[in-house]
Amino acid sequence: MSETPGGDAGPGIDLSALVGFGEPSAQPGTPVTAGAAVGAGPGPEALNLSPQPDEDMQNLIAAIPALERMANVPGASRATRNYVRYLKSRVPPGR
């Protein structure tokens, strides 16, 4: 067991700015849902994140025919079939 409360983060990692679970908030006027798409406070736009490209999803969508063949092989796992269904559900209409 670590001798430091909360464990050992390893060398070079400064944990001094972390607020403990039972400690008072460092931002008492900020709702816990700030940055989330639901609840009080600003939504995800407040995070100032740049839109992420869908390149990975586009590559997976292009591979759906091959993945469907894998999912239809006798003995394919339920997880494989469900994953292909999920990918197919993500295909934009008209594509």
Side-chain angles (χ1 to χ4, degrees):
M1 296 285 244
S2 173
E3 292 184 23
T4 58
D8 184 16
I13 298 176
D14 179 20
L15 299 178
S16 64
L18 292 179
V19 177
F21 188 72
E23 300 296 318
S25 173
Q27 298 179 1
T30 305
V32 296
T33 53
V38 296
E45 67 280 354
L47 299 175
N48 293 322
L49 299 175
S50 61
Q52 298 297 313
D54 264 353
E55 185 178 342
D56 289 339
M57 186 56 75
Q58 295 302 322
N59 290 336
L60 285 170
I61 289 172
I64 285 178
L67 294 171
E68 281 183 315
R69 284 191 294 277
M70 283 179 27
N72 290 327
V73 169
S77 70
R78 182 178 303 164
T80 301
R81 292 190 303 269
N82 286 339
Y83 184 61
V84 172
R85 286 183 193 119
Y86 166 76
L87 288 176
K88 290 173 72 174
S89 75
R90 305 290 300 177
V91 175
R95 178 132 196 246

